């Protein structure tokens, strides 16, 4: 029997589903108990599958979850102090209904909104979401977010505590709160994707999984008519466009490939197509979000048959629109880089000088990298090396660091 | 051909708190191993064991819970395989997936009584 017979990430995805369903039955206050119970079920599945895999592993796990729920209900009923609560609890029929595909999705959406509840500490939301919705282990989350496992555990338990203390309900918010709540969900999905895409993680496998996970969550949001705002479509399009070139970003040796040297034929076409159809839906709206502009920029890059044929003017236009609604130093820096591509070096300096590199925080190295490129264009290789050194001192990712070091070396050897 | 029992000691998954992804990966290794042995036609039987149980001791046959050993000494399962000698079983046992979790394999020859 081959491992291939098991769907990729079956356990992880099933974990998220089961947590969501059981939370629907027992309430968010029982989250810890539920997660322990599911962990338990999985360990047991592993032992009983050792000799023979069930014909339908997914159904097997679902059935195990259902049985587990019934067990838990029984033992809860046996405890007198819980009697009252469970009298109006779910009947067997209702329980059955919750395991239907549509209801599972509904429970997962409730969990997404719970994880992105404004009462939760923004820094804790990602860790909590990755554990509870996506079924990542604390060690995996720590590796992906470049944090200690202890920190992740603290964030998760703090979230659980807040949920109980604030008596947060397991629901999709009502119409009045919905728009702002959707916004926060999208922010969290976007952050999860960014963590993966900008490869802060040393572990490449986890990096990619964060991206696919963000896509999956976004897709879940698109499954419900009243959650399907133009912003959700735009974010989905953006994620698809970025995902399309995820492969081409890294060489087989795991080295970062400069955008200009990426093999455009390796861009994943189905992902681009999916992004385009989402984009068509997204632009039906009058109002454009940051995701609209970011997606437009990404699409513009994908459209160009080669870097030289890129429509930089369009990209600059989207960046300045984006800057109007999101005036961040990073968006300004991006405008600078585009101007540099267009050969407008004076204008580029002008923009770059407006930027306070400290405000770019962990992306500060990108500023120095842009400055280095600019200095190089002007033939000032000494200055370029100085800037590159600053970039090297601030970049965390090993692959990117290596890229800068090589660039520095080539400048040095060209000048000898 | 003789029969040998490989006894798996330690590496209690429940206690180790492995992530779903870890568990799935482990499962793959177990399958690969058992598939390899099946293909070689050497498997005679095997099972996983619950970590809890009963223990009966002493002349009064006192029944108590659990095997009362530390989890790292706990027997988690076994396979019975056929082989020519212990060295061959040692080779087979190289693929046991849980050494990295502190697990161990104990190999014992099944005794045959001549009539």
């Amino acid at each position: 029997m081959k491992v291939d017979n098991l769907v990729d990430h079956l356990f992880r995805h099933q974990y998220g589903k089961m947590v969501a369903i059981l939370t629907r039955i027992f309430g968010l206050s029982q989250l810890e108990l539920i997660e322990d119970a599911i962990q338990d079920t999985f360990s047991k599945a592993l032992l009983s599958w050792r000799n023979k895999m069930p014909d339908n592993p997914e159904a097997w796990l679902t059935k195990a979850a259902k049985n587990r729920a019934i067990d838990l209900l029984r033992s809860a009923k046996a405890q007198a102090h819980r009697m009252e609560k469970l009298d109006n609890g779910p009947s067997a029929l209702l329980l059955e209904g919750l395991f239907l595909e549509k209801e599972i999705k509904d429970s997962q959406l409730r969990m997404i909104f719970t994880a992105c509840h404004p009462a939760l500490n923004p820094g804790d939301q990602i860790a909590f979401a990755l554990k509870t919705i996506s079924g990542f282990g604390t060690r995996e989350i720590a590796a992906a977010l470049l944090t200690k496992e202890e920190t992740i555990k603290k964030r998760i338990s703090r979230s659980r505590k807040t949920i109980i203390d604030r008596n947060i309900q397991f629901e999709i918010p009502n119409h009045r709160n919905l728009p702002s709540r959707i916004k926060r969900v999208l922010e969290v999905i976007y952050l999860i994707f960014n963590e993966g895409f900008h490869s802060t993680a040393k572990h490449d496998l986890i990096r990619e999984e964060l991206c696919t996970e963000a896509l999956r969550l976004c897709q879940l949001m698109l499954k419900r008519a009243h959650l399907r705002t133009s912003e959700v479509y735009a974010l989905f399009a953006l994620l698809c466009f970025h995902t399309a070139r995820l492969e081409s970003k890294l060489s087989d040796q795991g080295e970062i490939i400069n955008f200009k040297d990426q093999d455009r034929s390796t861009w994943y076409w189905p992902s681009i197509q999916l992004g385009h159809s989402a984009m068509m839906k997204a632009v039906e709206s009058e109002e454009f979000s940051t995701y609209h502009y970011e997606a437009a920029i990404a699409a513009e890059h994908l459209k160009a048959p080669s870097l030289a044929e890129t429509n930089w003017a369009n990209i600059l236009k989207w960046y300045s629109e984006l800057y109007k609604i999101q005036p961040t130093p990073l968006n300004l820096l991006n405008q600078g880089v585009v101007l540099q591509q267009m050969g407008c070096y004076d204008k580029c300096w002008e923009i770059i000088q407006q930027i306070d590199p400290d405000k770019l925080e962990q992306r500060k190295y990108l500023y120095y990298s842009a400055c280095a490129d600019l200095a190089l264009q002007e033939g000032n290789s000494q200055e370029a090396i100085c800037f590159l050194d600053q970039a090297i001192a601030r970049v965390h990712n090993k692959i990117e660091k290596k890229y800068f070091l090589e660039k520095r070396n080539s400048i040095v050897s060209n000048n000898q | 051909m003789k029969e040998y029992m490989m006894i798996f000691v330690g590496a209690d998954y429940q206690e180790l708190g492995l992530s779903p992804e870890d568990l799935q990966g482990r499962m793959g290794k177990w399958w690969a191993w058992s598939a390899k042995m099946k293909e070689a036609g050497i498997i005679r039987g095997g099972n996983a064991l619950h970590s809890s149980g009963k223990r009966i001791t002493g002349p009064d046959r006192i029944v108590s819970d659990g095997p009362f050993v530390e989890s790292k000494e706990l027997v988690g399962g076994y396979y019975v395989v056929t082989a020519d000698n212990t060295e061959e079983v040692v080779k087979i046992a190289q693929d046991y997936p849980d050494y990295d979790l502190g697990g161990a394999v104990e190999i014992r020859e099944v005794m045959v009584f001549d009539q």
Side-chain angles (χ1 to χ4, degrees):
Chain A
M1 201 143 355
K2 273 193 180 162
V3 198
D4 312 356
N5 293 353
L6 212 53
V7 182
D8 276 348
H9 315 307
L10 173 72
F11 274 43
R12 187 150 65 67
H13 290 166
Q14 283 291 320
Y15 183 92
K17 278 188 192 173
M18 289 184 193
V19 172
I21 302 167
L22 295 193
T23 305
R24 189 93 171 268
I25 301 169
F26 297 103
L28 278 165
S29 59
Q30 304 297 323
L31 198 51
E32 198 167 349
L33 179 84
I34 290 167
E35 291 200 63
D36 285 348
I38 292 167
Q39 183 76 25
D40 213 54
T41 312
F42 278 4
S43 304
K44 284 207 180 102
L46 190 98
L47 293 177
S48 70
W49 294 7
R50 202 171 266 178
N51 291 322
K52 191 183 178 301
M53 183 172 70
D55 292 334
N56 185 345
E58 197 169 345
W60 194 100
L61 285 174
T62 310
K63 193 166 164 240
K66 212 184 288 181
N67 289 340
R68 188 75 207 172
I70 293 166
D71 275 356
L72 284 170
L73 271 173
R74 274 200 200 118
S75 71
K77 269 188 182 143
Q79 283 174 292
H81 67 279
R82 290 199 187 143
M83 277 301 276
E84 194 189 347
K85 200 172 153 195
L86 282 158
D87 273 345
N88 357 324
S91 66
L93 198 67
L94 189 61
L95 191 71
E96 205 61 44
L98 289 176
F99 282 89
L100 296 173
E101 201 51 41
K102 181 177 171 291
E103 290 304 319
I104 294 176
K105 293 229 159 59
D106 195 76
S107 301
Q108 286 181 291
L109 280 166
R110 286 168 195 243
M111 194 56 97
I112 294 179
F113 279 103
T114 304
C116 305
H117 193 281
L120 262 59
N121 192 333
D124 299 347
Q125 285 172 328
I126 293 184
F128 180 79
L130 288 176
K131 172 86 167 56
T132 319
I133 309 169
S134 311
F136 283 102
T138 47
R139 194 175 44 79
E140 291 153 359
I141 301 171
L145 304 183
L146 287 184
T147 325
K148 287 196 202 96
E149 193 177 351
E150 270 317 299
T151 315
I152 297 297
K153 281 185 182 158
K154 264 185 217 147
R155 287 182 190 171
I156 292 167
S157 68
R158 190 161 52 208
S159 303
R160 282 183 188 149
K161 192 174 173 301
T162 309
I163 287 168
I164 293 171
D165 290 351
R166 300 281 300 266
N167 193 22
I168 291 175
Q169 296 303 301
F170 194 55
E171 62 191 11
I172 295 170
N174 59 33
H175 290 287
R176 194 168 51 84
N177 291 329
L178 193 58
S180 68
R181 294 290 303 279
I182 290 180
K183 261 192 181 27
R184 184 57 199 156
V185 169
L186 298 186
E187 275 164 27
V188 172
I189 294 176
Y190 180 80
L191 286 174
I192 290 176
F193 187 88
N194 268 353
E195 283 296 341
F197 193 71
H198 293 294
S199 65
T200 48
K202 286 177 208 137
H203 200 305
D204 289 335
L205 211 65
I206 292 173
R207 190 182 72 99
E208 256 183 58
E209 282 172 19
L210 287 188
C211 292
T212 42
E213 199 47 34
L215 265 168
R216 198 179 68 89
L217 297 181
C218 206
Q219 241 166 344
L220 261 175
M221 293 289 285
L222 287 174
K223 290 249 163 31
R224 283 287 175 283
H226 71 295
L227 304 177
R228 234 179 266 154
T229 65
S230 84
E231 223 175 327
V232 183
Y233 275 118
L235 175 61
F236 187 67
L238 172 64
L239 302 189
C240 286
F241 291 151
H242 279 332
T243 305
R245 45 182 206 89
L246 197 59
E247 285 286 310
S248 63
K249 265 185 78 170
L250 290 180
S251 74
D252 293 341
Q253 288 76 42
E255 288 167 327
I256 198 159
I257 301 174
N258 195 355
F259 186 70
K260 123 176 144 231
D261 301 322
Q262 282 174 17
D263 178 0
R264 290 175 183 237
S265 68
T266 62
W267 289 350
Y268 190 59
W269 183 241
S271 211
I272 299 175
Q273 270 177 316
L274 202 60
H276 273 308
S277 50
M279 200 60 188
M280 297 299 280
K281 289 276 184 192
V283 294
E284 281 173 11
S285 140
E286 301 271 304
E287 206 178 321
F288 289 172
S289 64
T290 55
Y291 307 124
H292 282 82
Y293 294 119
E294 283 194 47
I297 293 162
E300 209 64 66
H301 280 302
L302 292 171
K303 249 190 260 171
S306 71
L307 189 78
E309 291 163 89
T310 307
N311 189 338
W312 293 111
N314 264 355
I315 292 179
L316 187 65
K317 185 178 80 193
W318 299 131
Y319 267 127
S320 38
E321 290 297 326
L322 177 60
Y323 189 71
K324 275 183 206 157
I325 56 170
Q326 191 186 48
T328 65
L330 186 64
N331 285 334
L332 208 55
L333 177 65
N334 285 331
Q335 283 187 50
V337 174
V338 174
L339 283 164
Q340 192 181 336
Q341 291 293 340
M342 296 168 81
C344 310
Y345 302 125
D346 293 342
K347 257 202 167 148
C348 176
W349 264 129
E350 214 174 276
I351 289 226
I352 291 231
Q353 271 157 2
Q354 292 173 38
I355 300 170
D356 174 3
D358 286 333
K359 292 218 170 100
L360 286 164
E361 292 170 14
Q362 75 268 37
R363 306 252 190 263
K364 201 167 165 180
Y365 70 96
L366 291 172
Y367 168 85
Y368 292 109
S369 150
C371 288
D373 280 343
L374 213 47
L376 210 56
Q377 296 277 8
E378 292 175 343
N380 196 340
S381 45
Q382 271 316 313
E383 205 178 34
I385 289 172
C386 281
F387 281 130
L388 273 176
D389 283 338
Q390 304 219 51
I392 291 162
R394 285 172 180 87
V395 66
H396 290 297
N397 185 284
K398 267 190 192 154
I399 305 170
E400 283 181 284
K401 189 174 228 160
K402 189 164 174 248
Y403 168 75
F404 288 136
L405 281 169
E406 275 168 10
K407 196 164 175 176
R408 187 188 188 279
N409 286 343
S410 78
I411 299 172
V412 173
S413 54
N414 280 343
N415 281 291
Q416 270 165 1
Chain B
M1 282 290 205
K2 296 170 196 164
E3 286 195 346
Y4 291 87
M5 188 183 242
M6 291 189 285
I7 304 160
F8 311 130
V9 189
D12 183 345
Y13 291 153
Q14 262 149 289
E15 188 152 296
L16 287 163
L18 298 180
S19 79
E21 206 71 11
D22 287 336
L23 286 172
Q24 189 163 341
R26 286 274 141 203
M27 166 110 24
K29 287 183 188 166
W30 274 98
W31 281 343
W33 189 32
S34 69
K36 197 170 159 185
M37 290 190 286
K38 267 177 209 155
E39 211 158 283
I42 54 172
I43 286 202
R44 286 295 167 269
N47 259 314
L49 299 174
H50 278 289
S51 53
S52 59
K54 294 282 182 196
R55 187 183 172 97
I56 308 168
T57 45
D60 295 336
R61 297 176 179 75
I62 293 168
V63 179
S64 49
D65 281 333
F68 279 143
V69 284
E70 281 183 65
S71 72
K72 62 178 183 208
E73 297 164 17
L74 204 66
V75 175
Y78 65 91
Y79 270 129
V80 177
V81 293
T82 52
D84 285 330
N85 50 47
T86 322
E87 283 66 41
E88 222 176 281
V89 190
V90 169
K91 255 186 219 150
I92 295 166
Q94 294 303 312
D95 291 330
Y96 165 73
D98 294 336
Y99 291 115
D100 58 333
L101 300 179
V105 181
E106 199 175 304
I107 296 166
R108 307 281 289 273
E109 189 183 336
V110 176
M111 212 181 264
V112 181
F113 296 98
D114 292 328
Q115 291 203 311

PDB file of all heavy atoms in Angstrom, chain A residues 183-202:
ATOM      1  N   LYS A 183     -13.557  42.324   6.443  1.00  0.00           N
ATOM      2  CA  LYS A 183     -12.284  43.019   6.210  1.00  0.00           C
ATOM      3  C   LYS A 183     -11.158  42.399   7.032  1.00  0.00           C
ATOM      4  O   LYS A 183     -10.063  42.175   6.536  1.00  0.00           O
ATOM      5  CB  LYS A 183     -12.419  44.500   6.580  1.00  0.00           C
ATOM      6  CG  LYS A 183     -12.652  45.393   5.393  1.00  0.00           C
ATOM      7  CD  LYS A 183     -12.486  46.848   5.810  1.00  0.00           C
ATOM      8  CE  LYS A 183     -12.729  47.800   4.691  1.00  0.00           C
ATOM      9  NZ  LYS A 183     -13.587  47.467   3.599  1.00  0.00           N
ATOM     10  N   ARG A 184     -11.444  42.147   8.294  1.00  0.00           N
ATOM     11  CA  ARG A 184     -10.403  41.592   9.167  1.00  0.00           C
ATOM     12  C   ARG A 184     -10.046  40.168   8.726  1.00  0.00           C
ATOM     13  O   ARG A 184      -8.882  39.778   8.738  1.00  0.00           O
ATOM     14  CB  ARG A 184     -10.872  41.618  10.625  1.00  0.00           C
ATOM     15  CG  ARG A 184      -9.825  41.157  11.629  1.00  0.00           C
ATOM     16  CD  ARG A 184      -8.534  41.984  11.554  1.00  0.00           C
ATOM     17  NE  ARG A 184      -7.409  41.271  12.172  1.00  0.00           N
ATOM     18  CZ  ARG A 184      -6.132  41.472  11.892  1.00  0.00           C
ATOM     19  NH1 ARG A 184      -5.779  42.372  10.988  1.00  0.00           N
ATOM     20  NH2 ARG A 184      -5.193  40.793  12.489  1.00  0.00           N
ATOM     21  N   VAL A 185     -11.057  39.399   8.326  1.00  0.00           N
ATOM     22  CA  VAL A 185     -10.783  38.039   7.846  1.00  0.00           C
ATOM     23  C   VAL A 185      -9.825  38.107   6.652  1.00  0.00           C
ATOM     24  O   VAL A 185      -8.834  37.371   6.588  1.00  0.00           O
ATOM     25  CB  VAL A 185     -12.088  37.311   7.451  1.00  0.00           C
ATOM     26  CG1 VAL A 185     -11.784  36.022   6.705  1.00  0.00           C
ATOM     27  CG2 VAL A 185     -12.926  37.007   8.687  1.00  0.00           C
ATOM     28  N   LEU A 186     -10.118  39.029   5.740  1.00  0.00           N
ATOM     29  CA  LEU A 186      -9.276  39.144   4.551  1.00  0.00           C
ATOM     30  C   LEU A 186      -7.847  39.559   4.925  1.00  0.00           C
ATOM     31  O   LEU A 186      -6.883  39.064   4.346  1.00  0.00           O
ATOM     32  CB  LEU A 186      -9.873  40.157   3.561  1.00  0.00           C
ATOM     33  CG  LEU A 186     -11.251  39.793   3.006  1.00  0.00           C
ATOM     34  CD1 LEU A 186     -11.677  40.776   1.938  1.00  0.00           C
ATOM     35  CD2 LEU A 186     -11.285  38.376   2.456  1.00  0.00           C
ATOM     36  N   GLU A 187      -7.749  40.448   5.908  1.00  0.00           N
ATOM     37  CA  GLU A 187      -6.412  40.863   6.349  1.00  0.00           C
ATOM     38  C   GLU A 187      -5.613  39.674   6.864  1.00  0.00           C
ATOM     39  O   GLU A 187      -4.437  39.521   6.559  1.00  0.00           O
ATOM     40  CB  GLU A 187      -6.515  41.913   7.464  1.00  0.00           C
ATOM     41  CG  GLU A 187      -6.671  43.334   6.967  1.00  0.00           C
ATOM     42  CD  GLU A 187      -7.147  44.271   8.075  1.00  0.00           C
ATOM     43  OE1 GLU A 187      -6.871  43.989   9.261  1.00  0.00           O
ATOM     44  OE2 GLU A 187      -7.801  45.275   7.740  1.00  0.00           O
ATOM     45  N   VAL A 188      -6.290  38.845   7.669  1.00  0.00           N
ATOM     46  CA  VAL A 188      -5.592  37.685   8.237  1.00  0.00           C
ATOM     47  C   VAL A 188      -5.182  36.708   7.123  1.00  0.00           C
ATOM     48  O   VAL A 188      -4.054  36.214   7.108  1.00  0.00           O
ATOM     49  CB  VAL A 188      -6.457  36.982   9.314  1.00  0.00           C
ATOM     50  CG1 VAL A 188      -5.826  35.672   9.748  1.00  0.00           C
ATOM     51  CG2 VAL A 188      -6.640  37.896  10.516  1.00  0.00           C
ATOM     52  N   ILE A 189      -6.085  36.472   6.178  1.00  0.00           N
ATOM     53  CA  ILE A 189      -5.759  35.579   5.057  1.00  0.00           C
ATOM     54  C   ILE A 189      -4.565  36.139   4.271  1.00  0.00           C
ATOM     55  O   ILE A 189      -3.630  35.418   3.920  1.00  0.00           O
ATOM     56  CB  ILE A 189      -6.980  35.405   4.115  1.00  0.00           C
ATOM     57  CG1 ILE A 189      -8.104  34.666   4.832  1.00  0.00           C
ATOM     58  CG2 ILE A 189      -6.576  34.652   2.842  1.00  0.00           C
ATOM     59  CD1 ILE A 189      -9.390  34.527   4.031  1.00  0.00           C
ATOM     60  N   TYR A 190      -4.610  37.451   4.050  1.00  0.00           N
ATOM     61  CA  TYR A 190      -3.529  38.120   3.315  1.00  0.00           C
ATOM     62  C   TYR A 190      -2.200  37.972   4.053  1.00  0.00           C
ATOM     63  O   TYR A 190      -1.158  37.684   3.453  1.00  0.00           O
ATOM     64  CB  TYR A 190      -3.912  39.600   3.159  1.00  0.00           C
ATOM     65  CG  TYR A 190      -2.923  40.465   2.432  1.00  0.00           C
ATOM     66  CD1 TYR A 190      -2.861  40.459   1.043  1.00  0.00           C
ATOM     67  CD2 TYR A 190      -2.066  41.325   3.123  1.00  0.00           C
ATOM     68  CE1 TYR A 190      -1.964  41.270   0.370  1.00  0.00           C
ATOM     69  CE2 TYR A 190      -1.172  42.140   2.461  1.00  0.00           C
ATOM     70  CZ  TYR A 190      -1.120  42.110   1.083  1.00  0.00           C
ATOM     71  OH  TYR A 190      -0.227  42.912   0.417  1.00  0.00           O
ATOM     72  N   LEU A 191      -2.240  38.134   5.365  1.00  0.00           N
ATOM     73  CA  LEU A 191      -1.017  38.005   6.167  1.00  0.00           C
ATOM     74  C   LEU A 191      -0.478  36.584   6.130  1.00  0.00           C
ATOM     75  O   LEU A 191       0.725  36.369   6.023  1.00  0.00           O
ATOM     76  CB  LEU A 191      -1.287  38.421   7.620  1.00  0.00           C
ATOM     77  CG  LEU A 191      -1.446  39.925   7.855  1.00  0.00           C
ATOM     78  CD1 LEU A 191      -1.861  40.198   9.291  1.00  0.00           C
ATOM     79  CD2 LEU A 191      -0.149  40.662   7.531  1.00  0.00           C
ATOM     80  N   ILE A 192      -1.376  35.613   6.219  1.00  0.00           N
ATOM     81  CA  ILE A 192      -0.944  34.212   6.161  1.00  0.00           C
ATOM     82  C   ILE A 192      -0.245  33.958   4.827  1.00  0.00           C
ATOM     83  O   ILE A 192       0.822  33.360   4.762  1.00  0.00           O
ATOM     84  CB  ILE A 192      -2.145  33.250   6.339  1.00  0.00           C
ATOM     85  CG1 ILE A 192      -2.670  33.313   7.773  1.00  0.00           C
ATOM     86  CG2 ILE A 192      -1.756  31.811   5.988  1.00  0.00           C
ATOM     87  CD1 ILE A 192      -3.906  32.484   8.030  1.00  0.00           C
ATOM     88  N   PHE A 193      -0.850  34.462   3.769  1.00  0.00           N
ATOM     89  CA  PHE A 193      -0.258  34.270   2.441  1.00  0.00           C
ATOM     90  C   PHE A 193       1.122  34.927   2.356  1.00  0.00           C
ATOM     91  O   PHE A 193       2.083  34.340   1.878  1.00  0.00           O
ATOM     92  CB  PHE A 193      -1.180  34.837   1.361  1.00  0.00           C
ATOM     93  CG  PHE A 193      -0.710  34.510  -0.032  1.00  0.00           C
ATOM     94  CD1 PHE A 193      -1.110  33.330  -0.643  1.00  0.00           C
ATOM     95  CD2 PHE A 193       0.145  35.356  -0.722  1.00  0.00           C
ATOM     96  CE1 PHE A 193      -0.664  33.008  -1.912  1.00  0.00           C
ATOM     97  CE2 PHE A 193       0.596  35.037  -1.993  1.00  0.00           C
ATOM     98  CZ  PHE A 193       0.189  33.860  -2.589  1.00  0.00           C
ATOM     99  N   ASN A 194       1.181  36.174   2.848  1.00  0.00           N
ATOM    100  CA  ASN A 194       2.451  36.905   2.813  1.00  0.00           C
ATOM    101  C   ASN A 194       3.551  36.192   3.558  1.00  0.00           C
ATOM    102  O   ASN A 194       4.696  36.156   3.117  1.00  0.00           O
ATOM    103  CB  ASN A 194       2.274  38.293   3.429  1.00  0.00           C
ATOM    104  CG  ASN A 194       1.938  39.300   2.361  1.00  0.00           C
ATOM    105  OD1 ASN A 194       1.968  38.978   1.176  1.00  0.00           O
ATOM    106  ND2 ASN A 194       1.598  40.494   2.763  1.00  0.00           N
ATOM    107  N   GLU A 195       3.189  35.625   4.713  1.00  0.00           N
ATOM    108  CA  GLU A 195       4.183  34.886   5.492  1.00  0.00           C
ATOM    109  C   GLU A 195       4.783  33.780   4.624  1.00  0.00           C
ATOM    110  O   GLU A 195       5.972  33.513   4.679  1.00  0.00           O
ATOM    111  CB  GLU A 195       3.548  34.260   6.739  1.00  0.00           C
ATOM    112  CG  GLU A 195       3.294  35.220   7.872  1.00  0.00           C
ATOM    113  CD  GLU A 195       4.564  35.823   8.440  1.00  0.00           C
ATOM    114  OE1 GLU A 195       5.653  35.262   8.229  1.00  0.00           O
ATOM    115  OE2 GLU A 195       4.454  36.880   9.094  1.00  0.00           O
ATOM    116  N   GLY A 196       3.919  33.153   3.849  1.00  0.00           N
ATOM    117  CA  GLY A 196       4.380  32.086   2.984  1.00  0.00           C
ATOM    118  C   GLY A 196       5.131  32.611   1.776  1.00  0.00           C
ATOM    119  O   GLY A 196       6.218  32.147   1.453  1.00  0.00           O
ATOM    120  N   PHE A 197       4.552  33.608   1.133  1.00  0.00           N
ATOM    121  CA  PHE A 197       5.087  34.062  -0.148  1.00  0.00           C
ATOM    122  C   PHE A 197       6.418  34.775   0.007  1.00  0.00           C
ATOM    123  O   PHE A 197       7.323  34.595  -0.791  1.00  0.00           O
ATOM    124  CB  PHE A 197       4.077  34.980  -0.830  1.00  0.00           C
ATOM    125  CG  PHE A 197       4.389  35.241  -2.267  1.00  0.00           C
ATOM    126  CD1 PHE A 197       4.235  34.235  -3.202  1.00  0.00           C
ATOM    127  CD2 PHE A 197       4.841  36.473  -2.686  1.00  0.00           C
ATOM    128  CE1 PHE A 197       4.527  34.453  -4.540  1.00  0.00           C
ATOM    129  CE2 PHE A 197       5.133  36.703  -4.022  1.00  0.00           C
ATOM    130  CZ  PHE A 197       4.979  35.691  -4.950  1.00  0.00           C
ATOM    131  N   HIS A 198       6.540  35.588   1.028  1.00  0.00           N
ATOM    132  CA  HIS A 198       7.786  36.331   1.188  1.00  0.00           C
ATOM    133  C   HIS A 198       8.823  35.551   1.983  1.00  0.00           C
ATOM    134  O   HIS A 198       9.792  36.109   2.462  1.00  0.00           O
ATOM    135  CB  HIS A 198       7.519  37.711   1.772  1.00  0.00           C
ATOM    136  CG  HIS A 198       6.766  38.577   0.814  1.00  0.00           C
ATOM    137  ND1 HIS A 198       7.300  39.008  -0.366  1.00  0.00           N
ATOM    138  CD2 HIS A 198       5.496  39.029   0.824  1.00  0.00           C
ATOM    139  CE1 HIS A 198       6.402  39.718  -1.025  1.00  0.00           C
ATOM    140  NE2 HIS A 198       5.298  39.737  -0.325  1.00  0.00           N
ATOM    141  N   SER A 199       8.526  34.283   2.136  1.00  0.00           N
ATOM    142  CA  SER A 199       9.497  33.320   2.642  1.00  0.00           C
ATOM    143  C   SER A 199      10.325  33.805   3.814  1.00  0.00           C
ATOM    144  O   SER A 199      11.531  33.879   3.741  1.00  0.00           O
ATOM    145  CB  SER A 199      10.439  32.869   1.524  1.00  0.00           C
ATOM    146  OG  SER A 199      11.218  33.950   1.090  1.00  0.00           O
ATOM    147  N   THR A 200       9.651  34.162   4.883  1.00  0.00           N
ATOM    148  CA  THR A 200      10.400  34.454   6.091  1.00  0.00           C
ATOM    149  C   THR A 200      10.829  33.137   6.734  1.00  0.00           C
ATOM    150  O   THR A 200      11.681  33.112   7.587  1.00  0.00           O
ATOM    151  CB  THR A 200       9.548  35.257   7.094  1.00  0.00           C
ATOM    152  OG1 THR A 200       8.300  34.623   7.209  1.00  0.00           O
ATOM    153  CG2 THR A 200       9.387  36.679   6.666  1.00  0.00           C
ATOM    154  N   ALA A 201      10.199  32.065   6.255  1.00  0.00           N
ATOM    155  CA  ALA A 201      10.498  30.758   6.847  1.00  0.00           C
ATOM    156  C   ALA A 201      11.677  30.104   6.157  1.00  0.00           C
ATOM    157  O   ALA A 201      11.844  30.207   4.955  1.00  0.00           O
ATOM    158  CB  ALA A 201       9.285  29.855   6.749  1.00  0.00           C
ATOM    159  N   LYS A 202      12.463  29.405   6.932  1.00  0.00           N
ATOM    160  CA  LYS A 202      13.601  28.704   6.359  1.00  0.00           C
ATOM    161  C   LYS A 202      13.129  27.414   5.698  1.00  0.00           C
ATOM    162  O   LYS A 202      13.731  26.911   4.779  1.00  0.00           O
ATOM    163  CB  LYS A 202      14.610  28.383   7.449  1.00  0.00           C
ATOM    164  CG  LYS A 202      15.376  29.600   7.906  1.00  0.00           C
ATOM    165  CD  LYS A 202      16.314  29.200   9.041  1.00  0.00           C
ATOM    166  CE  LYS A 202      16.566  30.369   9.950  1.00  0.00           C
ATOM    167  NZ  LYS A 202      16.516  30.028  11.343  1.00  0.00           N
TER     168      LYS A 202
END
